[in-house]
Protein backbone atom coordinates (compact mmCIF):
# COMPACT_ATOMS: atom_id res chain seq x y z
CA UNK A 1 0.00 0.00 0.00
CA UNK A 2 1.16 3.50 -0.82
CA UNK A 3 1.35 6.28 1.76
CA UNK A 4 -1.38 8.88 1.60
CA UNK A 5 -1.40 12.49 2.73
CA UNK A 6 -4.08 15.07 3.31
CA UNK A 7 -3.63 18.47 1.60
CA UNK A 8 -2.65 19.81 5.05
CA UNK A 9 0.40 17.49 4.96
CA UNK A 10 -0.84 15.06 7.61
CA UNK A 11 -0.49 11.35 6.86
CA UNK A 12 -3.85 9.66 6.39
CA UNK A 13 -4.74 6.05 5.68
CA UNK A 14 -6.43 4.04 2.97
CA UNK A 15 -9.49 3.54 5.19
CA UNK A 16 -9.60 7.10 6.61
CA UNK A 17 -12.87 8.99 6.44
CA UNK A 18 -11.50 12.19 7.95
CA UNK A 19 -8.14 13.90 8.51
CA UNK A 20 -7.39 13.90 12.22
CA UNK A 21 -5.25 17.04 11.86
CA UNK A 22 -7.42 19.49 9.87
CA UNK A 23 -10.77 17.71 10.09
CA UNK A 24 -11.28 17.52 6.31
CA UNK A 25 -13.69 14.85 5.09
CA UNK A 26 -11.63 12.45 2.98
CA UNK A 27 -12.35 9.82 0.40
CA UNK A 28 -10.42 7.54 -1.90
CA UNK A 29 -10.38 8.54 -5.55
CA UNK A 30 -9.89 5.26 -7.47
CA UNK A 31 -8.96 7.13 -10.68
CA UNK A 32 -6.06 8.94 -9.06
CA UNK A 33 -5.51 6.14 -6.50
CA UNK A 34 -5.17 8.86 -3.89
CA UNK A 35 -6.95 10.05 -0.78
CA UNK A 36 -8.51 13.44 -1.46
CA UNK A 37 -10.42 15.99 0.67
CA UNK A 38 -13.98 16.05 -0.60
CA UNK A 39 -14.09 19.84 -0.39
CA UNK A 40 -11.42 20.31 -3.03
CA UNK A 41 -12.81 17.66 -5.40
CA UNK A 42 -15.99 19.12 -6.88
CA UNK A 43 -16.29 16.46 -9.55
CA UNK A 44 -16.38 13.72 -6.89
CA UNK A 45 -18.87 12.69 -4.25
CA UNK A 46 -19.28 9.91 -1.66
CA UNK A 47 -20.36 6.40 -2.57
CA UNK A 48 -23.86 5.84 -1.19
CA UNK A 49 -22.58 2.88 0.88
CA UNK A 50 -20.46 5.53 2.62
CA UNK A 51 -23.04 8.29 3.00
CA UNK A 52 -25.87 5.92 4.01
CA UNK A 53 -24.12 3.15 5.94
CA UNK A 54 -20.61 4.38 6.68
CA UNK A 55 -19.00 1.25 5.21
CA UNK A 56 -17.18 2.81 2.25
CA UNK A 57 -14.78 5.74 1.84
CA UNK A 58 -14.44 5.59 -1.94
CA UNK A 59 -15.59 8.44 -4.14
CA UNK A 60 -17.52 8.35 -7.39
CA UNK A 61 -17.97 10.94 -10.13
CA UNK A 62 -20.67 13.45 -9.14
CA UNK A 63 -22.27 13.24 -12.57
CA UNK A 64 -22.40 9.43 -12.55
CA UNK A 65 -25.77 7.70 -12.73
CA UNK A 66 -24.38 5.13 -10.31
CA UNK A 67 -24.85 5.91 -6.62
CA UNK A 68 -22.15 3.36 -5.78
CA UNK A 69 -18.40 3.69 -6.22
CA UNK A 70 -16.60 1.39 -8.68
CA UNK A 71 -15.70 -1.07 -5.89
CA UNK A 72 -19.19 -1.29 -4.38
CA UNK A 73 -20.62 -1.98 -7.84
CA UNK A 74 -19.10 -5.48 -7.53
CA UNK A 75 -21.54 -6.37 -4.73
CA UNK A 76 -24.35 -8.77 -5.53
CA UNK A 77 -25.39 -9.65 -1.98
CA UNK A 78 -24.70 -7.57 1.10
CA UNK A 79 -25.27 -8.69 4.71
CA UNK A 80 -28.79 -8.41 6.10
CA UNK A 81 -28.65 -5.04 7.87
CA UNK A 82 -31.64 -5.77 10.10
CA UNK A 83 -29.37 -8.17 12.01
CA UNK A 84 -27.38 -6.64 14.86
CA UNK A 85 -23.65 -6.49 14.18
CA UNK A 86 -23.95 -6.97 10.43
CA UNK A 87 -23.23 -3.36 9.50
CA UNK A 88 -19.92 -3.65 11.38
CA UNK A 89 -19.17 -6.99 9.70
CA UNK A 90 -19.98 -5.50 6.31
CA UNK A 91 -17.52 -2.66 7.01
CA UNK A 92 -14.76 -5.22 7.63
CA UNK A 93 -15.62 -7.06 4.40
CA UNK A 94 -15.60 -3.80 2.42
CA UNK A 95 -12.24 -2.85 3.86
CA UNK A 96 -10.76 -6.19 2.78
CA UNK A 97 -12.34 -5.94 -0.66
CA UNK A 98 -10.92 -2.47 -1.22
CA UNK A 99 -7.45 -3.51 -0.18
CA UNK A 100 -7.68 -6.45 -2.58
CA UNK A 101 -8.83 -4.13 -5.38
CA UNK A 102 -6.06 -1.61 -4.71
CA UNK A 103 -3.36 -4.23 -5.24
CA UNK A 104 -5.13 -5.63 -8.33
CA UNK A 105 -5.18 -2.08 -9.73
CA UNK A 106 -1.53 -1.51 -8.88
CA UNK A 107 -0.68 -4.73 -10.71
CA UNK A 108 -2.63 -3.56 -13.76
CA UNK A 109 -5.01 -6.53 -13.71
CA UNK A 110 -8.34 -6.33 -15.54
CA UNK A 111 -11.13 -5.56 -13.09
CA UNK A 112 -14.72 -5.32 -14.29
CA UNK A 113 -17.88 -6.09 -12.34
CA UNK A 114 -20.27 -8.81 -13.41
CA UNK A 115 -23.18 -6.40 -13.95
CA UNK A 116 -21.25 -4.53 -16.65
CA UNK A 117 -19.68 -7.70 -18.08
CA UNK A 118 -21.86 -10.75 -17.33
CA UNK A 119 -19.51 -13.05 -19.28
CA UNK A 120 -16.22 -12.31 -17.58
CA UNK A 121 -16.89 -9.81 -14.78
CA UNK A 122 -16.65 -10.45 -11.05
CA UNK A 123 -19.36 -10.22 -8.39
CA UNK A 124 -19.35 -10.66 -4.62
CA UNK A 125 -21.85 -12.28 -2.29
CA UNK A 126 -21.53 -11.56 1.44
CA UNK A 127 -23.80 -14.27 2.82
CA UNK A 128 -25.10 -15.57 6.11
CA UNK A 129 -26.17 -19.05 7.10
CA UNK A 130 -27.58 -21.01 10.02
CA UNK A 131 -24.35 -20.67 11.98
CA UNK A 132 -24.75 -16.91 12.39
CA UNK A 133 -28.49 -16.71 12.01
CA UNK A 134 -30.42 -19.94 12.60
CA UNK A 135 -33.71 -18.03 12.91
CA UNK A 136 -33.52 -16.33 9.51
CA UNK A 137 -31.52 -18.95 7.59
CA UNK A 138 -32.38 -22.34 9.13
CA UNK A 139 -30.35 -25.36 8.04
CA UNK A 140 -28.33 -23.35 5.55
CA UNK A 141 -24.57 -23.59 5.11
CA UNK A 142 -22.60 -21.01 3.15
CA UNK A 143 -19.01 -21.83 2.31
CA UNK A 144 -16.55 -19.13 1.47
CA UNK A 145 -15.46 -19.83 -2.09
CA UNK A 146 -15.51 -19.02 -5.78
CA UNK A 147 -17.86 -20.24 -8.47
CA UNK A 148 -18.69 -18.93 -11.94
CA UNK A 149 -17.60 -15.31 -11.56
CA UNK A 150 -18.82 -14.92 -7.98
CA UNK A 151 -16.74 -14.74 -4.81
CA UNK A 152 -18.80 -15.76 -1.80
CA UNK A 153 -17.66 -14.79 1.67
CA UNK A 154 -19.53 -15.98 4.73
CA UNK A 155 -20.28 -12.82 6.74
CA UNK A 156 -19.07 -14.66 9.86
CA UNK A 157 -15.52 -14.36 8.54
CA UNK A 158 -15.73 -10.68 9.49
CA UNK A 159 -16.52 -11.64 13.10
CA UNK A 160 -13.29 -11.96 15.10
CA UNK A 161 -14.60 -14.53 17.58
CA UNK A 162 -16.20 -16.75 14.93
CA UNK A 163 -13.18 -16.55 12.64
CA UNK A 164 -10.80 -17.47 15.45
CA UNK A 165 -13.00 -20.43 16.33
CA UNK A 166 -12.92 -21.63 12.71
CA UNK A 167 -9.15 -21.13 12.58
CA UNK A 168 -8.63 -23.22 15.74
CA UNK A 169 -11.00 -25.93 14.56
CA UNK A 170 -9.21 -26.21 11.20
CA UNK A 171 -5.80 -25.89 12.89
CA UNK A 172 -4.81 -23.02 10.65
CA UNK A 173 -2.04 -20.57 11.53
CA UNK A 174 -3.60 -17.74 9.58
CA UNK A 175 -7.17 -16.78 8.66
CA UNK A 176 -8.20 -13.28 7.60
CA UNK A 177 -10.87 -11.64 5.45
CA UNK A 178 -8.18 -10.21 3.19
CA UNK A 179 -6.55 -13.63 2.91
CA UNK A 180 -9.87 -15.18 1.81
CA UNK A 181 -10.51 -12.45 -0.74
CA UNK A 182 -7.04 -12.67 -2.23
CA UNK A 183 -7.25 -16.47 -2.42
CA UNK A 184 -10.66 -16.42 -4.14
CA UNK A 185 -9.49 -13.79 -6.63
CA UNK A 186 -6.88 -16.35 -7.75
CA UNK A 187 -9.64 -18.77 -8.78
CA UNK A 188 -11.39 -15.92 -10.59
CA UNK A 189 -8.36 -14.83 -12.60
CA UNK A 190 -7.42 -18.35 -13.63
CA UNK A 191 -10.89 -18.85 -15.11
CA UNK A 192 -10.84 -15.29 -16.54
CA UNK A 193 -7.63 -16.12 -18.39
CA UNK A 194 -9.26 -19.18 -19.93
CA UNK A 195 -5.79 -20.73 -20.41
CA UNK A 196 -4.84 -22.67 -23.52
CA UNK A 197 -3.56 -26.27 -23.41
CA UNK A 198 0.08 -25.23 -23.31
CA UNK A 199 -0.45 -23.06 -20.25
CA UNK A 200 -2.58 -25.75 -18.60
CA UNK A 201 0.24 -28.25 -19.11
CA UNK A 202 2.69 -25.85 -17.52
CA UNK A 203 0.24 -25.35 -14.64
CA UNK A 204 0.11 -29.14 -14.18
CA UNK A 205 3.90 -29.32 -14.00
CA UNK A 206 4.02 -26.67 -11.28
CA UNK A 207 0.89 -27.41 -9.23
CA UNK A 208 -0.26 -30.85 -10.37
CA UNK A 209 -3.28 -32.03 -12.35
CA UNK A 210 -6.14 -29.59 -11.76
CA UNK A 211 -8.66 -32.03 -13.24
CA UNK A 212 -8.31 -34.37 -10.23
CA UNK A 213 -11.76 -34.76 -8.64
CA UNK A 214 -12.22 -31.74 -6.42
CA UNK A 215 -14.82 -33.03 -3.95
CA UNK A 216 -12.88 -36.23 -3.28
CA UNK A 217 -9.63 -34.33 -2.78
CA UNK A 218 -11.20 -31.83 -0.38
CA UNK A 219 -12.98 -34.56 1.58
CA UNK A 220 -9.74 -36.45 1.95
CA UNK A 221 -7.95 -33.26 3.10
CA UNK A 222 -10.55 -32.57 5.78
CA UNK A 223 -10.75 -36.23 6.86
CA UNK A 224 -7.04 -37.10 6.86
CA UNK A 225 -5.27 -33.76 7.12
CA UNK A 226 -2.61 -32.30 4.84
CA UNK A 227 0.13 -34.18 3.01
CA UNK A 228 2.83 -35.23 5.48
CA UNK A 229 5.71 -33.09 4.26
CA UNK A 230 3.55 -30.26 2.93
CA UNK A 231 5.96 -27.57 4.11
CA UNK A 232 8.52 -28.65 1.52
CA UNK A 233 6.27 -27.91 -1.42
CA UNK A 234 3.31 -25.80 -0.31
CA UNK A 235 2.84 -22.33 1.14
CA UNK A 236 0.13 -23.63 3.49
CA UNK A 237 -1.36 -26.93 4.59
CA UNK A 238 -4.56 -26.13 2.72
CA UNK A 239 -2.62 -25.63 -0.52
CA UNK A 240 -1.89 -29.37 -0.48
CA UNK A 241 -5.62 -30.19 -0.70
CA UNK A 242 -5.90 -29.82 -4.50
CA UNK A 243 -3.83 -28.24 -7.33
CA UNK A 244 -6.49 -25.52 -7.77
CA UNK A 245 -6.26 -24.66 -4.09
CA UNK A 246 -2.47 -24.62 -4.33
CA UNK A 247 -2.76 -22.14 -7.20
CA UNK A 248 -5.20 -19.91 -5.31
CA UNK A 249 -3.14 -20.00 -2.10
CA UNK A 250 0.02 -19.12 -4.03
CA UNK A 251 -1.80 -16.34 -5.89
CA UNK A 252 -3.06 -14.97 -2.57
CA UNK A 253 0.48 -14.88 -1.21
CA UNK A 254 1.73 -13.18 -4.36
CA UNK A 255 -0.71 -10.35 -3.56
CA UNK A 256 0.22 -10.33 0.15
CA UNK A 257 3.88 -10.02 -0.77
CA UNK A 258 3.30 -7.29 -3.34
CA UNK A 259 1.20 -5.19 -0.96
CA UNK A 260 3.60 -5.69 1.96
CA UNK A 261 6.65 -4.74 -0.13
CA UNK A 262 4.86 -1.68 -1.44
CA UNK A 263 4.15 -0.67 2.15
CA UNK A 264 7.78 -1.32 3.12
CA UNK A 265 9.04 0.82 0.24
CA UNK A 266 6.58 3.62 1.06
CA UNK A 267 7.94 3.69 4.62
CA UNK A 268 11.59 3.69 3.59
CA UNK A 269 12.27 0.08 4.62
CA UNK A 270 13.12 -0.95 1.05
CA UNK A 271 15.09 1.01 -1.56
CA UNK A 272 12.74 0.02 -4.39
CA UNK A 273 9.05 -0.27 -5.01
CA UNK A 274 8.03 -3.86 -5.97
CA UNK A 275 6.81 -2.58 -9.37
CA UNK A 276 10.46 -2.26 -10.48
CA UNK A 277 11.62 -5.53 -8.87
CA UNK A 278 11.73 -8.95 -10.52
CA UNK A 279 9.79 -11.73 -8.83
CA UNK A 280 13.09 -13.20 -7.65
CA UNK A 281 14.06 -9.91 -6.03
CA UNK A 282 10.65 -9.59 -4.40
CA UNK A 283 10.85 -13.08 -2.91
CA UNK A 284 14.36 -12.45 -1.57
CA UNK A 285 13.34 -9.09 -0.06
CA UNK A 286 10.23 -10.58 1.49
CA UNK A 287 12.09 -13.57 2.97
CA UNK A 288 14.15 -11.23 5.15
CA UNK A 289 11.48 -8.57 5.69
CA UNK A 290 8.87 -11.10 6.82
CA UNK A 291 11.25 -12.44 9.46
CA UNK A 292 11.76 -8.87 10.72
CA UNK A 293 8.00 -8.32 10.62
CA UNK A 294 7.38 -11.42 12.73
CA UNK A 295 10.04 -10.41 15.23
CA UNK A 296 8.43 -6.98 15.49
CA UNK A 297 4.93 -8.31 16.08
CA UNK A 298 6.41 -10.66 18.72
CA UNK A 299 8.13 -7.63 20.27
CA UNK A 300 4.73 -6.11 20.97
CA UNK A 301 3.27 -9.30 22.38
CA UNK A 302 1.57 -10.70 19.31
CA UNK A 303 2.21 -13.83 17.30
CA UNK A 304 3.74 -14.00 13.86
CA UNK A 305 2.08 -11.63 11.42
CA UNK A 306 3.20 -13.85 8.53
CA UNK A 307 3.46 -17.47 9.71
CA UNK A 308 4.71 -18.84 6.39
CA UNK A 309 8.00 -19.96 4.88
CA UNK A 310 8.76 -19.55 1.19
CA UNK A 311 10.91 -22.47 0.12
CA UNK A 312 12.30 -23.25 -3.31
CA UNK A 313 9.22 -25.04 -4.61
CA UNK A 314 6.91 -22.28 -3.44
CA UNK A 315 9.20 -19.71 -5.08
CA UNK A 316 8.79 -21.58 -8.39
CA UNK A 317 5.02 -21.42 -7.97
CA UNK A 318 5.16 -17.68 -7.29
CA UNK A 319 7.22 -17.35 -10.47
CA UNK A 320 4.41 -19.03 -12.40
CA UNK A 321 1.84 -16.66 -10.86
CA UNK A 322 4.05 -13.77 -11.96
CA UNK A 323 4.00 -15.05 -15.54
CA UNK A 324 0.22 -15.41 -15.47
CA UNK A 325 -0.14 -11.86 -14.18
CA UNK A 326 1.90 -10.63 -17.15
CA UNK A 327 -0.47 -12.49 -19.48
CA UNK A 328 -3.51 -11.03 -17.73
CA UNK A 329 -2.14 -7.51 -18.12
CA UNK A 330 -2.22 -7.70 -21.88
CA UNK A 331 -5.79 -7.56 -23.19
CA UNK A 332 -6.83 -10.78 -24.86
CA UNK A 333 -10.06 -12.17 -26.29
CA UNK A 334 -12.34 -14.37 -24.19
ZN1 LIG B 1 -5.71 17.37 6.83
ZN1 LIG C 1 -18.35 2.26 -2.25
ZN1 LIG D 1 -10.01 -21.99 -3.04
Amino acid sequence: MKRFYCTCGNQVFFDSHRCLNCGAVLGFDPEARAMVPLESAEHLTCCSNGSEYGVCNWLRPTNSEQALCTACQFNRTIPNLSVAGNRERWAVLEEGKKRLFFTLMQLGLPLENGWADPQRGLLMDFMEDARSNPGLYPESFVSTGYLGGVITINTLEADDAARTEARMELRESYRTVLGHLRHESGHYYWSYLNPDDVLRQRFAMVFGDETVDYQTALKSYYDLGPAEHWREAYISAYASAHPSEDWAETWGHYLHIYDALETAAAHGLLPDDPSVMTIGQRIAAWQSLSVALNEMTRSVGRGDAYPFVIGERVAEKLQFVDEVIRLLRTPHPA
Side-chain angles (χ1 to χ4, degrees), residues 148-327:
V150 182
I151 290 177
T152 301
I153 306 285
N154 190 310
T155 306
L156 263 188
E157 294 296 335
D159 185 297
D160 283 346
R163 193 180 59 253
T164 303
E165 199 183 308
R167 183 172 65 74
M168 306 285 280
E169 201 179 294
L170 296 168
R171 280 183 259 142
E172 295 171 342
S173 58
Y174 175 96
R175 190 177 183 93
T176 64
V177 166
L178 183 57
H180 283 311
L181 286 164
R182 284 183 170 158
H183 170 106
E184 303 307 343
S185 76
H187 291 304
Y188 167 65
Y189 279 109
W190 184 246
S191 66
Y192 178 98
L193 186 62
N194 193 14
D196 61 16
D197 288 346
V198 176
L199 194 60
R200 281 192 196 279
Q201 273 167 22
R202 294 218 28 240
F203 179 105
M205 282 167 68
V206 179
F207 297 98
D209 181 4
E210 62 173 327
T211 62
V212 164
D213 187 71
Y214 185 81
Q215 300 305 336
T216 311
L218 267 282
K219 187 177 181 319
S220 143
Y221 171 77
Y222 285 118
D223 288 350
L224 308 170
E228 197 180 344
H229 300 293
W230 65 264
R231 284 183 181 80
E232 288 166 19
Y234 301 95
I235 187 68
S236 66
Y238 183 64
S240 73
H242 188 277
S244 296
E245 295 313 307
D246 192 11
W247 154 263
E249 282 288 272
T250 309
W251 170 281
H253 279 265
Y254 183 97
L255 301 185
H256 284 327
I257 294 168
Y258 192 92
D259 187 7
L261 292 180
E262 193 173 58
T263 306
H267 289 262
L269 300 171
L270 260 191
D272 291 315
D273 185 272
S275 64
V276 298
M277 295 163 79
T278 64
I279 180 66
Q281 290 169 331
R282 285 185 214 159
I283 292 167
W286 181 238
Q287 278 166 332
S288 66
L289 262 176
S290 59
V291 172
L293 171 68
N294 288 342
E295 287 299 307
M296 286 181 72
T297 50
R298 284 172 184 224
S299 296
V300 293
R302 288 179 176 262
D304 289 343
Y306 189 78
F308 303 98
V309 174
I310 298 170
E312 219 169 291
R313 290 283 308 282
V314 173
E316 282 168 26
K317 292 173 184 181
L318 286 165
Q319 182 89 48
F320 184 83
V321 173
D322 191 62
E323 284 172 42
V324 168
I325 285 182
R326 280 163 208 279
L327 290 174

